[in-house]
Amino acid sequence: MRRDGRIRDYPEAITVEEVIDETPTVRTLIFSDDIMSSSMPGQFAMVWVPGAFELPMSIMTATGRGRAAFTVRRHGDASTALYNIRRGESIAVRGPYGNSFDVRRGRLLLVGGGTGLVPLMRLVTHTNPDDDITILMGARTADEVFFDELASDLLSARRGAGSGNRDDQGSSHSTGDYNCGAGDYNYGTGSEAPLRGRVIVTTDDGTRGKKGRVTDILDAIVDCSAGGKFDAIYTCGPEVMMYKIVQTASRHGIFVQASLERMMKCGVGICGSCAAGPDIVCKDGTIFDGRHLLANPEFGFTYRDKSGIPTSW
Amino acid sequence: MRRDGRIRDYPEAITVEEVIDETPTVRTLIFSDDIMSSSMPGQFAMVWVPGAFELPMSIMTATGRGRAAFTVRRHGDASTALYNIRRGESIAVRGPYGNSFDVRRGRLLLVGGGTGLVPLMRLVTHTNPDDDITILMGARTADEVFFDELASDLLSARRGAGSGNRDDQGSSHSTGDYNCGAGDYNYGTGSEAPLRGRVIVTTDDGTRGKKGRVTDILDAIVDCSAGGKFDAIYTCGPEVMMYKIVQTASRHGIFVQASLERMMKCGVGICGSCAAGPDIVCKDGTIFDGRHLLANPEFGFTYRDKSGIPTSW
Amino acid sequence: MRLDGPVVLASGILGISLDVFRRLHRSGAGAVVTKSLSKSPWTGYANPTVIGLDNGGWLNAVGLSNPGAQNFADMIRPNREIPIIVSLVGSTAAEFEYMIDKFDECAVVAYELNMSCPHVAKVGLEVGDDPALVREIVGAAKQASGDSAPVLVKVGLGSSNYLDTVGAAIDGGADAITAINTIRSMAIDAELQRPVLSNRFGGLSGAPIKPIALRCVYEIASRFGDIPIMGCGGISNWKDAVEFILAGASAVQIGSVLGEEDVDIFGRINTGITEYMERKGIDRLQDMVGHAQRR
Amino acid sequence: MRLDGPVVLASGILGISLDVFRRLHRSGAGAVVTKSLSKSPWTGYANPTVIGLDNGGWLNAVGLSNPGAQNFADMIRPNREIPIIVSLVGSTAAEFEYMIDKFDECAVVAYELNMSCPHVAKVGLEVGDDPALVREIVGAAKQASGDSAPVLVKVGLGSSNYLDTVGAAIDGGADAITAINTIRSMAIDAELQRPVLSNRFGGLSGAPIKPIALRCVYEIASRFGDIPIMGCGGISNWKDAVEFILAGASAVQIGSVLGEEDVDIFGRINTGITEYMERKGIDRLQDMVGHAQRR
Ligand SMILES: Cc1cc2nc3c(=O)[nH]c(=O)nc-3n(C[C@H](O)[C@H](O)[C@H](O)COP(=O)(O)OP(=O)(O)OC[C@H]3O[C@@H](n4cnc5c(N)ncnc54)[C@H](O)[C@@H]3O)c2cc1C
Ligand SMILES: Cc1cc2nc3c(=O)[nH]c(=O)nc-3n(C[C@H](O)[C@H](O)[C@H](O)COP(=O)(O)OP(=O)(O)OC[C@H]3O[C@@H](n4cnc5c(N)ncnc54)[C@H](O)[C@@H]3O)c2cc1C
Ligand SMILES: Cc1cc2nc3c(=O)[nH]c(=O)nc-3n(C[C@H](O)[C@H](O)[C@H](O)COP(=O)(O)O)c2cc1C
Ligand SMILES: Cc1cc2nc3c(=O)[nH]c(=O)nc-3n(C[C@H](O)[C@H](O)[C@H](O)COP(=O)(O)O)c2cc1C
Ligand code: FES
Ligand code: FES
């Protein structure tokens, strides 16, 4: 089957129009690009920083017609080069690559860690106002929490979103409290209105939201889902985190999808550098059903380094 | 301007489905080919006879959806190889190339010699039932007359053709008579019904229709046009014939178009072998307005041989 | 040489995971050629290493990143079911011997010596352009593999006459030729005013090189008669595959097309070839090999 | 060398009629290169001689049909206004001298020696592949043309290192290099089971060869520094032209794109280059030549 849709395999130079500091180490770079702007949630681009490297980056939402963004955490050489790009400077972008989330209806749980939140943000824009969405996000410390307000905004901005949950979220997303009394899962504010979206934050050091990791409170959230069982869980972030989430979901019989990260060179299924067991992550994925992943011997355990040698996470 | 439309530049093998003997030296080969079938009147194809040559051929009409044809006169090596192709055998075809006739409305005169009639047949299928069409065709002798019946059929088959001129034509086209009494141009049959199409045949030896060449009676036809002046004249055939026709038309101030033949290799405007003065016949033409042609120093006088050397007709 | 079908995975394409090989074999690959392996692991060049040209063409300078012969041999040792052709790259006869020894206990159906990679120094084309060295390496590889597996030599367009490379390979004892590798090329970005690939130069593959590859297969077949040829370069569908077979190839390899099609392309090309043979009344694929030479 | 703009018509493209040259010049061609001319008229090969590949690629084996140097000189003798570059093809120094003499009274802005046609025996690439002969012919051509017109040598990918051809040409006194000609290729029809071109082998041109041509221009510029280069091969739009200039070309030639675009493509590429330079703040085209070499 010939791949369809609009894909650009040659890197095209685009100019960064806006830069947002999300945390001291995370920035969002906004630009205009019709093709990237109309990508599906979970797709990624190959982003070339001239003179430096080319890196895979999830495609982030941005307001404004034909606009898109990347949100990058400064880490090694390549990500730092991208992080340092300033407004008015150019990078070159090809893609979008990979599949996208199978966006179900109903009660959805989105769990992200760090820049793993990026594809989840675009996912939110593809849900319906009726869908009841919980976003669970983890960070090391309060300083490193980002996208919490954006997540609330996106939840309430869903077309025709009925329940005025924006203010509630605005005040509540930062507390990250949740109650599970009487088997009731309820989100902090005490509001009587049916909430169609909530954002829960955890930090390892407890400086913001719930102390601990997202995986620590996952069981509680899934167990006490007052509004009924979750219809689907979507996750993107460190693989060890995703591994736990997929196991939890499958224990509860909940449909789950996770987005994998691997070494990427071509992004289109030629070079093989992203192989994970039988899966060609850039093309078959990056998003896989939990059931499929649990059958993949490498998921949660190993990735391939630049030489293609399997390496433990 | 990027050329538009459906053009196939790689020769695609097609199977000849039917062969019609038009005269002892002319055959029509019918085949199925969507692209050729939907070509415009006057366009040509490059036709490859495997093991032999590739030749330019006007695209002929054929009945049946998606069908088209070539009508070839056996002459030298290449045309004879094509002529000898039998039903069930394959040739390969690319195109369609060239521009097409500017099909005007009203009183139209089509003048063809030999296989020059081919593009005129397709032209007829692009006229309206209201148009009053005269087809003038010349041949050396009765044996070599062809397309006379077909021309009549096509004239009457025009969608919603009002005047039952088919029978008239059937009987009259072979006589080739015309009267021009009292400045009246009238077509042989004496029918009172307004005739919307007529076919006039000339033969050099007088064995059929009017004796002489089409150019001999052209002035008479143009002068005595009872239904009013012709709105347009279209011609295809030997260049010396076309030269005279263009001159006659321009003397009478009638819009005229002629289709040129030149040595063709690429068919797309690359190789230059078809050059006639400033014109690239395969791409700018093969159809040109008379006014344009009269300004071309080579029209009517020289063509370029296989080495590109200007040669007299 | 055991092939389960005429359509083979080309070297460097998805060639580092046994699990992926299984999947491709199930999809109809007659054999898989591994990523070219070197004596020790190589990390290759920095990204950008692969870009598309949006016309069916791809440019790559992966830099022969690979886990090294030993690691790779360890990975494929359990395999018995899939016909694996091990591609090797190196500069000296000794390196090739060393690597072939590592595959002692593996079920390797053939070795393919990469003498044609156009963008890594001292290996690939730089070897292929030196007929004496080609002869020496092929001879050594033949000796090292013994009767265990035939030796293919993969050629490409370098800075000498590739037909001399083929001749030298045959002199050295090569059992078959793979033609061709990518063609040295480059991309420059007008806006950014610099070469796109980090290595500047890379290899062109995919549809654009098909007419060149087809000519090479035809020329090798007409010059060297009996030597079996694996045709490679820009094959995207069954028709392309048939053209290579008519030119003189006994089997074909596909690579870049996987950037645009799913892995079931192997099955579809197989089916296309079979249907073509039925339509033309050709019983055995062998009967159409080189058929266009006679016209 | 006088050029009225950086976009030049490539040899063999519409190159046999002075009237057509006038039209192309008016459309923005900075100069026109004639069809390669030989000592006497050549009829070339039988059709099929040119076919499209429906991917921007074209395959031709016209066989260098041309009216011969004398006839051609007679045709262009009246010309003064159009910068005409006369392309010549032959096997010996004497032939080239003979032909250059024929253009004595013509306003020729340069001679381009075709040492790269890939599908005619004894000329073109067969000359280009022999550096000693290249040096001799270029030397003779320089002598014959004297101060009247500079001499360009057109190279392509043959069966030797084309950079050696460039070196020999420069040794012989060449004033500039044109790179590249078409690349030897072939098409085989699966249904008809035979080569399509009557000559079987032809030259590939158009979009598919662009990355290869770009690499050659870049390599020549980086190896031979100062020699001016006309870049040619697969240029379809202003962006392609800019890429060749950034790689090291001082001007570009276009050919096959005329199979898909009208002659006003010359003007549109000129405009595109000018707009690009304005946008980037580049004053003179010369300032961007080879700019990608420095990155
Ligand atoms: C599908 C996908 C989406 C991603 N989305 C984001 C995102 O939205 N935001 C974000 O900050 N990060 C994202 N990443 C991770 C990102 O691509 C880098 O892996 C990460 O930023 C680390 O880069 P570094 O420079 O710090 O690399 P280091 O770990 O320091 O390594 C440096 C070297 O490794 C290369 N490299 C590192 N990771 C990769 C890789 N995955 N593929 C190819 N080469 C690599 C670099 O080019 C460089 O040469 C994503 C990764 C994938 C696979
Ligand atoms: C646009 C166009 C449409 C045509 N339509 C028809 C048609 O519908 N029916 C028809 O019978 N004829 C048509 N012709 C004429 C036809 O192409 C041949 O020129 C004619 O048949 C003579 O061919 P031959 O083999 O007899 O050539 P000869 O005059 O015997 O010459 C033989 C050689 O010349 C080559 N050759 C001859 N003419 C041409 C040419 N024009 N271009 C390239 N190579 C040539 C042949 O390949 C062969 O190699 C058309 C020509 C043109 C240019
Ligand atoms: C990303 C990539 C990596 C490649 N790596 C190798 C390699 O390691 N060894 C090799 O011999 N050929 C390698 N090749 C060349 C291919 O095997 C093949 O010869 C070439 O791509 C032409 O075939 P295609 O047009 O079907 O891709 C590579 C090609 C690509 C695109
Ligand atoms: C039909 C055709 C005829 C050609 N004839 C010649 C020729 O006579 N002399 C020459 O040096 N190059 C000739 N060439 C090569 C072109 O000049 C040019 O080098 C090549 O086509 C690459 O440029 P392009 O991709 O823009 O066409 C010819 C090319 C074509 C397509
Ligand atoms: S990144 Fe190349 S196959 Fe996935
Ligand atoms: S036939 Fe080649 S330009 Fe017209």
Side-chain angles (χ1 to χ4, degrees):
Chain A
M1 205 170 319
R2 208 147 211 295
R3 63 185 181 158
D4 49 0
R6 292 161 68 209
I7 301 175
R8 186 174 66 215
D9 290 314
Y10 187 83
E12 185 163 304
I14 52 97
T15 302
V16 171
E17 294 166 358
E18 218 175 301
V19 176
I20 300 170
D21 281 309
E22 305 286 359
T23 77
T25 57
V26 176
R27 277 183 185 158
T28 296
L29 314 178
I30 301 175
F31 56 94
S32 294
D33 186 331
D34 276 336
I35 291 181
M36 295 302 149
S37 172
S38 53
S39 67
M40 296 294 290
Q43 287 194 293
F44 67 100
M46 292 300 289
V47 182
W48 176 35
V49 186
F53 306 96
E54 189 189 48
L55 270 181
M57 283 282 140
S58 294
I59 303 163
M60 179 61 193
T61 54
T63 48
R65 211 182 137 82
R67 301 227 295 176
F70 300 119
T71 298
V72 57
R73 178 188 297 283
R74 150 160 75 86
H75 177 73
D77 290 352
S79 57
T80 302
L82 182 57
Y83 176 91
N84 286 333
I85 289 286
R86 280 167 306 187
R87 186 185 161 142
E89 291 184 336
S90 291
I91 54 178
V93 179
R94 62 189 175 94
Y97 294 131
N99 64 356
S100 61
F101 289 110
D102 172 2
V103 187
R104 305 257 164 130
R105 302 289 315 262
R107 303 201 68 219
L108 311 179
L109 175 63
L110 282 48
V111 190
T115 55
L117 284 166
V118 168
L120 301 180
M121 293 301 105
R122 193 172 275 269
L123 196 162
V124 171
T125 66
H126 278 69
T127 59
N128 286 282
D130 291 349
D131 298 328
D132 180 8
I133 296 176
T134 303
I135 301 176
L136 179 53
M137 48 173 70
R140 224 168 34 83
T141 182
D143 262 7
E144 292 183 359
V145 175
F146 63 98
F147 283 172
D148 47 341
E149 295 204 23
L150 176 75
S152 305
D153 290 352
L154 289 176
L155 282 174
S156 33
R158 285 177 294 166
R159 199 157 17 137
S163 46
N165 58 354
R166 183 179 187 140
D167 287 351
D168 302 311
Q169 298 308 129
S171 64
S172 56
H173 73 258
S174 56
T175 74
D177 283 345
Y178 70 99
N179 297 316
C180 201
D184 223 38
Y185 170 62
N186 206 338
Y187 181 62
T189 66
S191 158
E192 296 296 291
L195 288 174
R196 296 264 153 252
R198 59 197 69 75
V199 178
I200 303 171
V201 175
T202 70
T203 49
D204 295 1
D205 63 2
T207 47
R208 176 99 171 259
K210 187 77 189 168
K211 184 176 159 120
R213 295 173 176 243
V214 291
T215 43
D216 297 336
I217 62 168
L218 189 72
D219 272 315
I221 292 180
V222 170
D223 279 338
C224 73
S225 52
K229 208 167 112 168
F230 281 106
D231 294 293
I233 301 178
Y234 303 96
T235 180
C236 183
E239 193 153 313
V240 178
M241 171 195 97
M242 294 196 291
Y243 186 68
K244 287 189 189 154
I245 293 168
V246 167
Q247 284 186 313
T248 302
S250 81
R251 248 197 333 269
H252 286 82
I254 302 171
F255 175 79
V256 60
Q257 287 194 314
S259 173
L260 262 53
E261 264 194 34
R262 284 295 183 280
M263 186 62 59
M264 296 203 175
K265 292 180 178 175
C266 70
V268 298
I270 292 182
C271 74
S273 72
C274 66
D279 294 318
I280 301 155
V281 172
C282 68
K283 192 173 172 185
D284 303 322
T286 59
I287 294 152
F288 296 93
D289 290 358
R291 197 211 296 248
H292 183 89
L293 285 175
L294 292 177
N296 184 321
E298 298 188 23
F299 174 61
F301 295 96
T302 52
Y303 67 95
R304 283 160 195 274
D305 72 7
K306 287 191 175 180
S307 306
I309 301 175
T311 311
S312 295
W313 282 108
Chain B
M1 207 170 316
R2 207 148 211 297
R3 63 185 181 159
D4 49 2
R6 290 162 69 210
I7 302 175
R8 186 175 66 215
D9 290 312
Y10 187 82
E12 185 163 303
I14 52 98
T15 303
V16 171
E17 295 166 359
E18 219 175 300
V19 176
I20 299 170
D21 280 310
E22 306 286 0
T23 78
T25 58
V26 175
R27 277 184 184 158
T28 296
L29 314 178
I30 301 176
F31 56 94
S32 293
D33 186 331
D34 276 336
I35 292 181
M36 295 302 149
S37 172
S38 53
S39 67
M40 297 295 289
Q43 287 195 293
F44 68 100
M46 292 300 289
V47 183
W48 176 35
V49 186
F53 306 97
E54 190 189 47
L55 270 181
M57 282 283 139
S58 295
I59 303 163
M60 177 62 192
T61 53
T63 48
R65 212 184 137 82
R67 300 227 295 176
F70 300 119
T71 297
V72 58
R73 177 188 299 282
R74 154 159 73 85
H75 178 74
D77 291 352
S79 57
T80 302
L82 182 58
Y83 177 90
N84 286 332
I85 290 286
R86 280 167 306 187
R87 184 184 162 144
E89 292 184 335
S90 291
I91 54 178
V93 179
R94 61 190 175 93
Y97 294 130
N99 64 354
S100 61
F101 288 110
D102 174 2
V103 188
R104 304 258 165 131
R105 302 288 316 261
R107 302 200 70 218
L108 312 179
L109 174 62
L110 282 48
V111 191
T115 55
L117 285 166
V118 168
L120 302 180
M121 292 301 106
R122 194 172 276 268
L123 197 163
V124 172
T125 66
H126 278 68
T127 58
N128 288 280
D130 291 350
D131 297 329
D132 181 7
I133 297 177
T134 304
I135 302 177
L136 178 55
M137 47 173 72
R140 223 167 35 82
T141 181
D143 262 7
E144 293 184 0
V145 174
F146 63 98
F147 283 173
D148 49 340
E149 295 206 23
L150 177 75
S152 304
D153 289 352
L154 289 176
L155 282 174
S156 34
R158 286 178 295 167
R159 204 162 7 144
S163 48
N165 58 353
R166 185 179 184 139
D167 286 349
D168 301 312
Q169 298 308 127
S171 63
S172 54
H173 74 257
S174 55
T175 74
D177 281 348
Y178 71 99
N179 297 315
C180 200
D184 223 37
Y185 169 62
N186 206 340
Y187 181 62
T189 65
S191 159
E192 296 295 291
L195 286 174
R196 296 266 151 251
R198 59 197 67 76
V199 178
I200 303 171
V201 174
T202 70
T203 49
D204 294 2
D205 62 1
T207 48
R208 175 99 172 260
K210 187 78 187 165
K211 183 174 160 122
R213 299 176 174 241
V214 291
T215 43
D216 297 336
I217 62 167
L218 189 71
D219 271 317
I221 292 181
V222 170
D223 280 339
C224 72
S225 52
K229 205 169 115 168
F230 281 107
D231 294 292
I233 300 178
Y234 303 96
T235 179
C236 182
E239 192 153 314
V240 178
M241 170 194 98
M242 295 196 291
Y243 185 67
K244 289 189 189 153
I245 293 169
V246 167
Q247 284 185 313
T248 302
S250 82
R251 248 196 333 269
H252 286 81
I254 302 171
F255 175 78
V256 60
Q257 288 194 313
S259 174
L260 263 53
E261 264 195 33
R262 284 294 182 279
M263 186 62 60
M264 298 207 174
K265 293 180 178 175
C266 70
V268 297
I270 292 182
C271 74
S273 71
C274 66
D279 295 317
I280 301 154
V281 172
C282 67
K283 192 173 170 183
D284 302 322
T286 58
I287 294 151
F288 296 92
D289 290 358
R291 196 210 298 249
H292 183 88
L293 285 174
L294 292 177
N296 185 322
E298 298 188 23
F299 174 60
F301 295 96
T302 54
Y303 66 95
R304 282 159 195 274
D305 71 6
K306 287 189 174 179
S307 306
I309 301 175
T311 311
S312 294
W313 281 109
Chain C
M1 180 185 352
R2 176 192 150 206
L3 294 184
D4 291 348
V7 188
V8 172
L9 178 77
S11 178
I13 311 296
L14 298 177
I16 61 162
S17 154
L18 182 58
D19 286 334
V20 171
F21 288 166
R22 286 206 180 90
R23 197 174 145 197
L24 298 173
H25 187 236
R26 260 198 311 271
S27 302
V32 296
V33 185
T34 71
K35 177 74 200 170
S36 291
L37 303 166
S38 49
K39 203 172 154 186
S40 23
W42 285 355
T43 52
Y45 300 132
N47 277 347
T49 49
V50 186
I51 59 168
L53 303 176
D54 293 320
N55 65 353
W58 297 85
L59 203 55
N60 93 82
V62 164
L64 294 173
S65 62
N66 78 87
Q70 178 70 67
N71 284 320
F72 202 86
D74 293 345
M75 180 182 75
I76 66 165
R77 197 163 294 116
N79 172 65
R80 285 296 172 269
E81 74 274 28
I82 310 160
I84 295 182
I85 298 171
V86 170
S87 172
L88 301 173
V89 68
S91 308
T92 62
E95 280 185 82
F96 283 91
E97 284 168 343
Y98 172 93
M99 291 189 279
I100 289 173
D101 283 348
K102 298 287 171 206
F103 288 91
D104 233 14
E105 294 158 32
C106 299
V108 166
V109 300
Y111 294 98
E112 183 180 272
L113 314 188
N114 174 351
M115 298 191 162
S116 42
C117 172
H119 50 71
V120 177
K122 298 208 179 61
V123 300
L125 271 179
E126 293 193 16
V127 171
D129 279 338
D130 180 347
L133 184 56
V134 168
R135 206 175 298 112
E136 184 194 335
I137 289 177
V138 176
K142 277 301 288 179
Q143 199 121 40
S145 72
D147 293 335
S148 75
V151 170
L152 283 71
V153 172
K154 183 168 179 181
V155 299
L157 297 183
S159 53
S160 67
N161 189 340
Y162 78 100
L163 288 169
D164 294 341
T165 312
V166 173
I170 293 173
D171 283 355
D175 300 289
I177 299 294
T178 300
I180 59 172
N181 211 311
T182 57
I183 299 175
R184 189 169 164 91
S185 294
M186 93 187 293
I188 289 176
D189 192 86
E191 290 309 319
L192 304 172
Q193 305 189 309
R194 58 168 75 240
V196 180
L197 294 175
S198 73
N199 186 54
R200 296 182 299 161
F201 303 108
L204 180 65
S205 62
I209 69 168
K210 193 194 85 173
I212 303 175
L214 194 60
R215 154 227 155 185
C216 292
V217 168
Y218 188 99
E219 284 180 336
I220 296 169
S222 71
R223 171 88 77 96
F224 297 100
D226 297 335
I227 190 91
I229 304 167
M230 288 238 190
C232 180
I235 296 172
S236 312
N237 51 46
W238 69 263
K239 215 169 194 169
D240 293 338
V242 164
E243 291 169 17
F244 274 79
I245 296 167
L246 293 171
S250 311
V252 298
Q253 298 185 358
I254 63 172
S256 305
V257 67
L258 286 159
E260 280 153 66
E261 306 259 358
D262 282 342
V263 296
D264 61 7
I265 181 73
F266 286 97
R268 276 181 293 128
I269 294 181
N270 283 331
T271 308
I273 296 174
T274 310
E275 285 172 1
Y276 172 86
M277 289 171 59
E278 278 167 17
R279 190 151 45 79
K280 294 282 183 188
I282 299 166
D283 289 335
R284 299 171 318 145
L285 192 134
Q286 193 55 38
D287 295 342
M288 61 190 267
V289 172
H291 201 65
Q293 298 271 345
R294 274 164 273 147
R295 306 297 190 101
Chain D
M1 181 185 352
R2 176 193 150 206
L3 294 184
D4 291 347
V7 187
V8 172
L9 178 77
S11 178
I13 311 296
L14 299 177
I16 60 162
S17 154
L18 182 58
D19 286 335
V20 171
F21 288 166
R22 286 206 182 92
R23 194 172 148 199
L24 298 173
H25 187 235
R26 258 198 312 271
S27 301
V32 296
V33 185
T34 70
K35 177 75 200 170
S36 291
L37 302 165
S38 48
K39 205 174 152 184
S40 22
W42 285 355
T43 53
Y45 300 133
N47 278 346
T49 48
V50 185
I51 60 168
L53 302 175
D54 293 320
N55 66 353
W58 297 85
L59 203 56
N60 93 81
V62 165
L64 294 173
S65 62
N66 78 86
Q70 178 69 67
N71 284 319
F72 202 87
D74 293 345
M75 181 181 74
I76 66 166
R77 197 163 295 114
N79 172 67
R80 286 294 172 271
E81 75 273 28
I82 310 160
I84 294 182
I85 298 172
V86 170
S87 172
L88 300 173
V89 68
S91 308
T92 63
E95 281 185 81
F96 282 92
E97 284 168 345
Y98 172 92
M99 292 188 278
I100 289 174
D101 284 348
K102 298 285 172 209
F103 289 91
D104 233 15
E105 294 158 32
C106 299
V108 166
V109 300
Y111 294 99
E112 183 180 272
L113 313 188
N114 174 352
M115 299 193 161
S116 43
C117 173
H119 50 71
V120 178
K122 299 209 179 65
V123 301
L125 271 180
E126 292 192 16
V127 170
D129 280 338
D130 180 347
L133 183 56
V134 169
R135 206 175 298 110
E136 184 195 336
I137 289 177
V138 176
K142 277 301 290 177
Q143 201 121 39
S145 73
D147 293 334
S148 75
V151 170
L152 284 71
V153 172
K154 183 168 178 183
V155 299
L157 297 183
S159 54
S160 67
N161 189 342
Y162 78 101
L163 288 169
D164 293 341
T165 312
V166 173
I170 294 174
D171 283 354
D175 299 288
I177 300 294
T178 301
I180 60 173
N181 212 310
T182 57
I183 298 176
R184 188 169 164 90
S185 295
M186 94 187 293
I188 289 176
D189 192 86
E191 289 310 318
L192 304 172
Q193 306 190 311
R194 59 168 73 239
V196 180
L197 296 175
S198 73
N199 185 54
R200 296 182 300 161
F201 303 107
L204 179 65
S205 62
I209 70 168
K210 192 194 87 173
I212 304 174
L214 194 61
R215 153 226 155 185
C216 292
V217 169
Y218 188 99
E219 285 180 337
I220 296 169
S222 71
R223 171 88 77 95
F224 297 100
D226 296 335
I227 189 92
I229 304 168
M230 288 238 191
C232 179
I235 296 172
S236 313
N237 51 45
W238 69 262
K239 215 170 193 169
D240 293 339
V242 165
E243 291 168 17
F244 275 78
I245 296 167
L246 293 171
S250 310
V252 297
Q253 297 185 359
I254 63 172
S256 304
V257 66
L258 286 160
E260 280 153 67
E261 307 259 358
D262 282 342
V263 297
D264 62 7
I265 182 74
F266 286 98
R268 276 181 293 127
I269 295 182
N270 283 332
T271 308
I273 295 175
T274 309
E275 285 172 359
Y276 172 87
M277 288 170 61
E278 278 167 16
R279 190 151 46 78
K280 295 282 185 188
I282 300 166
D283 289 335
R284 299 172 318 145
L285 193 133
Q286 193 54 39
D287 296 341
M288 62 191 265
V289 172
H291 202 65
Q293 298 273 346
R294 274 164 272 149
R295 305 297 188 102

